[in-house]
Amino acid sequence: MQLSASSRHRGALALLSMPAVLFTAMMVVFPILYTIWLSFRTAPLGHATQFVGLANYSQLAHAPQFWNSIKVSLTLYVISLALQLTGGTYLAVLLFQAKRMPAILRSVLISPFMVPPVVVGMMFLVILDPSLGAANWVLSLFGIGPSAWLASPEWVIPTVALIDTWQWMPFVALIVLGGLQSLPPSVYEAAKIDGAPSRLVFWRITLPLLLPTLATAAILRTVDLLRFFDIIYVTTQGGPLNASDTLNIYGFHIGFELFQFGYASALAMTLTAMVFGVVLALNRLRKAVDW
Amino acid sequence: MTAQSVRRVLVLAVSALLPVTAHAASFDWQKYKGQTIEVLVDNNPIGQIIAKNADAFEKLTGITLKVDIFTEQQMRQRLVTVLDANSDQIDVYMTLPSREGEQFSKAGWYTDLTPMTSDAGPSYNFKGLSPALLKAATIDGKLTSIPMNIEGPVLYYRQDILKKCDVAVPATMADLEVAAQKIKACDPSITPFVSRGLRDALPYTYSVFFHNMGGQYIVNGKSGLCSPQGLKALKLYGELLKNYGPLGVVNYSFYQISSLYRDGRAAMAFESSNELSDMMQGGTRLGDTGIALLPPGPGGSHPTTIGWGLAMSPYSTHKGAAWYLIQWATSPEIQAQNEVAGIAAPRAAIAKDPAVQAWLAAEPVRTQWQHAISALATSGNSDVGYPIVDNPESRQYIGDAVDNVILGSQTPADACSAADGSLNTLIAKDGG
């Protein structure tokens, strides 16, 4: 039997793509499958793993620290996302209307998210140090008393959210700016002919048309925010008193400081499921608001 | 003395020296020439000494030395990954017996070094190493590591501030609060007292308060954190930092404490003896600092004494060469070099080394530091947290209790009781 030219072509393509497929399988699929497998086992150091069924999942369901970390993760997510979407949209509108040096303004704006999060963490650790930092010194110039910032259980989450917003709001602004530039001019011309005031144009035209763009920005930030790790690891390590102990920080602590790999794998799978769930929901929302 | 007696003494002396000289001549540093070994070290001054002197070791032994250097947490992660895979990739590694000794021992990750100590160079003097640290490194009868340094929290205090505020150096634990109170009233711009408040780091300093107050972590198989002595220690440590510590002290570890003290903003700092060089950096604090142990409490004086050790992987396929590295890195020669860099040597005799003597004599504060180190070596206690397999987790519960008191979110009794429940579970898991 002779193969047709197209079959031979498909076969060749499959053969050529095989190394990439195998590499992806090894680097992505294997760790995920291994983590799932490990989440059903206990892994004492230096000894063989043992199957424990759903015991690790049951343990986390009964652990107050786990529920605290879910609460911390979601609170941080909601505050940060709200700040970044509203601030980013505002910034994008300003940039869209900027007549002077728009290229320079954009370059300056994107600089925060070019900085590695670890450097951002170290920078704010110094600025916000309650005794030696610049933030309290500035407050003192206005007669305002010092704040504990990252060392206060009440203020740590808003402070971390502000640091993350400082870094990532420009990213959201750039996405929204792209959305603004792609909006159809005809709609604005019609509004202008009807004499619609600019505030009404923003709320009734611009914002509804921007919803798909905002949903895309929200999806991108959701993945990062629910897995929040680096800045907290550098600044508070989950403290004080677990007040900034996100699910990712908690999982890291259990896995790489206490070396309870089975339980840590169950936490990692829970976090993955949570991220997937929220992203899927946002994706549906994005489709619903598409125009 | 008659000529005959002199001859007898000489003969005795020569016969006593013969085994030493014979051994010295027979010890072959090049025995494992051509082999390659890998050592995993922490990126602290103690680990850096190995990295810096790797060439000298290679020249002496002909062994190729690969040095992997990481920060403490990353080092431990790499170590666990390698050892859990039964890999022979790492031959020698740095370990903290007070933290992971029981845990790694249970996992079977230490080679018993006892038989190897007899195969040492002529100047090694194994018996000259700190007995307290050797005891801490001996688990279930096995010598798990050889001490590289000796350290413990000591009280750094500003002599000029104490004098200005008419405060004597605290002689008892109760004096600490009185002194802090007086300093606060005398100069409100100065932080009267600072120590560790970061949850996982504070058991290192808190343990001295706890032991000096008369506390014991495990009493009859149960947690002793909430004993009357324990409650007193929790109250004193928590309230000292709450009322006289810097704002945000719950995030303070050695780095912040050293910066605050070096910057002249703290009158008393209870922090590791290892921080001497950082605290004195720039020289501003050299002339006005005094160093002492934490004053004794109702339970006496029980300073925390720990040290990094060098251990050998049981999966090493070059155990002979690995032992040569361990004995070289823990030799009196290398440890004397460490001492003048501010890393206290776990050998009492090092203080008599001429180079060390000259270094100590150059600044009075160094002599006080050396006295504190000598006291750590003789009366130290290595229990930083609970002496159980899950020691790292036990530190977390102690830290939570102390931080709750510092932040005022719980009374000492409530904070302690919450921690005790979790600690008793850990002790039971460990087999009581």
Side-chain angles (χ1 to χ4, degrees):
Chain A
M1 193 178 81
Q2 278 198 332
L3 288 172
S4 67
S6 68
S7 299
R8 280 202 304 274
H9 180 65
R10 278 202 299 272
L13 283 181
L15 198 68
L16 288 171
S17 61
M18 194 58 80
V21 171
L22 283 176
F23 182 78
T24 310
M26 265 185 349
M27 301 306 286
V28 178
V29 180
F30 173 73
I32 293 174
L33 291 179
Y34 184 68
T35 309
I36 295 172
W37 178 78
L38 207 54
S39 74
F40 296 106
R41 306 184 79 82
T42 179
L45 292 184
H47 297 90
T49 62
Q50 286 169 339
F51 180 71
V52 290
L54 291 169
N56 290 324
Y57 290 94
S58 163
Q59 187 186 345
L60 67 86
H62 291 96
Q65 228 176 322
F66 166 73
W67 292 109
N68 171 68
S69 68
I70 293 274
K71 191 181 107 188
V72 169
S73 296
L74 291 178
T75 310
L76 185 60
Y77 167 62
V78 170
I79 296 176
S80 305
L81 193 66
L83 286 173
Q84 287 167 30
L85 288 182
T86 48
T89 306
Y90 181 70
L91 208 58
V93 172
L94 288 182
L95 275 176
F96 188 60
Q97 293 167 348
K99 301 284 184 244
R100 287 182 188 173
M101 301 183 290
I104 294 175
L105 269 178
R106 276 172 218 171
S107 305
V108 170
L109 269 177
I110 63 164
S111 55
F113 70 84
M114 304 289 278
V115 183
V118 173
V119 176
V120 173
M122 292 300 291
M123 201 168 80
F124 277 95
L125 197 61
V126 174
I127 294 171
L128 299 174
D129 184 287
S131 301
L132 308 165
N136 277 347
W137 176 75
V138 172
L139 287 184
S140 72
L141 298 179
F142 297 97
I144 303 170
S147 167
W149 303 109
L150 294 161
S152 153
E154 292 80 27
W155 282 101
V156 65
I157 288 297
T159 307
V160 171
L162 280 174
I163 298 173
D164 194 68
T165 301
W166 175 86
Q167 182 169 31
W168 290 103
M169 191 174 73
F171 173 72
V172 175
L174 281 187
I175 295 174
V176 177
L177 183 64
L180 281 171
Q181 286 165 339
S182 67
L183 294 184
S186 57
V187 185
Y188 288 94
E189 283 159 14
K192 198 176 176 185
I193 291 166
D194 290 345
S198 55
R199 184 177 292 181
L200 200 68
V201 170
F202 176 78
W203 287 107
R204 293 287 173 83
I205 298 173
T206 308
L207 204 57
L209 289 177
L210 274 179
L211 282 178
T213 311
L214 287 172
T216 305
I219 290 170
L220 290 172
R221 291 305 303 134
T222 295
V223 176
D224 273 351
L225 285 168
L226 286 176
R227 296 181 300 132
F228 210 111
F229 182 81
D230 25 35
I231 290 176
I232 293 181
Y233 181 70
V234 172
T235 55
T236 67
Q237 295 180 14
L241 288 177
N242 302 324
S244 60
D245 203 16
T246 59
L247 198 48
N248 214 1
I249 291 279
Y250 179 50
F252 177 84
H253 176 66
I254 296 291
F256 292 103
E257 287 171 8
L258 303 184
F259 303 124
Q260 296 170 10
F261 295 124
Y263 184 44
S265 299
L267 284 166
M269 291 320 301
T270 309
L271 174 63
T272 309
M274 200 167 106
V275 175
F276 264 102
V278 177
V279 168
L280 280 178
L282 282 172
N283 206 31
R284 284 197 167 196
L285 179 75
R286 193 183 62 82
K287 282 179 183 161
V289 296
D290 212 355
W291 44 274
Chain B
M1 193 182 272
T2 62
Q4 198 181 12
S5 310
V6 171
R7 265 202 307 278
R8 271 186 195 155
V9 170
L10 276 173
V11 167
L12 273 173
V14 169
S15 1
L17 283 171
L18 262 177
V20 177
T21 40
H23 181 64
S26 67
F27 192 80
D28 179 13
W29 276 106
Q30 295 272 324
K31 189 174 172 185
Y32 299 103
K33 186 179 177 181
Q35 293 193 11
T36 299
I37 56 169
E38 190 162 334
V39 60
L40 182 65
V41 298
D42 182 11
N43 189 17
N44 62 14
I46 306 153
Q48 283 164 8
I49 291 277
I50 292 187
K52 278 179 197 160
N53 290 292
D55 288 348
F57 174 74
E58 289 186 336
K59 204 174 163 188
L60 175 72
T61 61
I63 297 167
T64 304
L65 179 62
K66 286 165 75 178
V67 183
D68 269 4
I69 190 158
F70 292 92
T71 56
E72 184 174 342
Q73 205 166 54
Q74 277 70 34
M75 179 197 78
R76 212 167 268 126
Q77 285 159 21
R78 171 154 164 67
L79 182 69
V80 168
T81 309
V82 170
L83 294 182
D84 212 30
N86 298 0
S87 165
D88 63 355
Q89 200 177 3
I90 291 167
D91 299 282
V92 177
Y93 59 91
M94 273 174 73
T95 183
L96 264 180
S98 57
R99 187 189 188 278
E100 64 243 6
E102 296 277 351
Q103 195 176 36
F104 285 10
S105 183
K106 190 181 175 192
W109 287 349
Y110 291 121
T111 298
D112 183 11
L113 300 175
T114 316
M116 301 181 193
T117 55
S118 53
D119 177 24
S123 62
Y124 187 64
N125 187 17
F126 173 72
K127 287 181 179 165
L129 287 159
S130 157
L133 290 180
L134 285 175
K135 189 181 161 201
T138 305
I139 302 170
D140 297 331
K142 291 178 181 171
L143 180 62
T144 59
S145 63
I146 305 284
M148 302 175 80
N149 75 313
I150 185 165
E151 61 178 272
V154 293
L155 188 70
Y156 298 83
Y157 58 90
R158 288 278 300 277
Q159 291 167 318
D160 54 334
I161 296 177
L162 263 58
K163 193 176 173 190
K164 183 179 87 177
C165 298
D166 195 24
V167 176
V169 179
T172 66
M173 281 172 79
D175 291 349
L176 274 173
E177 201 160 5
V178 178
Q181 208 168 21
K182 280 187 178 174
I183 294 165
K184 192 176 181 179
C186 156
D187 186 350
S189 69
I190 289 284
T191 298
F193 177 83
V194 62
S195 193
R196 294 187 182 188
L198 189 68
R199 183 185 71 177
D200 294 353
L202 70 83
Y204 177 64
T205 45
Y206 173 70
S207 292
V208 191
F209 279 73
F210 181 75
H211 288 127
N212 281 12
M213 205 58 97
Q216 277 184 295
Y217 279 127
I218 300 179
V219 183
N220 298 326
K222 293 278 176 194
S223 168
L225 197 72
C226 294
S227 62
Q229 299 90 335
L231 275 175
K232 277 184 193 166
L234 190 58
K235 190 167 181 291
L236 178 63
Y237 190 86
E239 292 189 351
L240 264 175
L241 290 179
K242 182 183 168 189
N243 299 327
Y244 308 106
L247 186 64
V249 71
V250 286
N251 276 353
Y252 271 52
S253 187
F254 63 92
Y255 172 76
Q256 290 83 358
I257 295 168
S258 296
S259 304
L260 195 77
Y261 187 83
R262 186 177 57 233
D263 213 31
R265 293 181 182 224
M268 294 185 282
F270 187 51
E271 184 43 64
S272 172
S273 55
N274 271 359
E275 289 302 298
L276 178 77
S277 42
D278 267 356
M279 295 230 188
M280 300 302 132
Q281 204 177 50
T284 319
R285 298 279 76 83
L286 273 172
D288 57 29
T289 295
I291 295 178
L293 290 183
L294 190 79
S301 179
H302 306 282
T304 293
T305 306
I306 62 165
W308 280 93
L310 264 186
M312 189 188 297
S313 162
Y315 310 113
S316 168
T317 49
H318 300 100
K319 286 199 167 75
W323 166 246
Y324 269 39
L325 172 68
I326 293 174
Q327 66 160 304
W328 168 81
T330 58
S331 65
E333 293 81 11
I334 292 289
Q335 292 188 336
Q337 281 182 40
N338 293 355
E339 180 97 2
V340 294
I343 302 163
R347 294 172 179 272
I350 295 280
K352 291 170 191 151
D353 181 280
V356 174
Q357 288 265 307
W359 180 79
L360 291 173
E363 298 290 348
V365 70
R366 290 179 186 158
T367 309
Q368 290 184 8
W369 177 78
Q370 183 57 48
H371 286 155
I373 297 289
S374 304
L376 290 178
T378 50
S379 56
N381 182 316
S382 291
D383 288 350
V384 179
Y386 287 64
I388 54 174
V389 171
D390 288 315
N391 172 279
E393 196 172 344
S394 79
R395 295 182 182 204
Q396 173 189 316
Y397 299 126
I398 297 169
D400 276 339
V402 175
D403 277 351
N404 269 309
V405 177
I406 296 174
L407 289 165
S409 46
Q410 284 184 329
T411 63
D414 289 345
C416 186
S417 160
D420 243 1
S422 308
L423 287 162
N424 278 327
T425 309
L426 285 189
I427 296 168
K429 200 171 129 191
D430 199 58

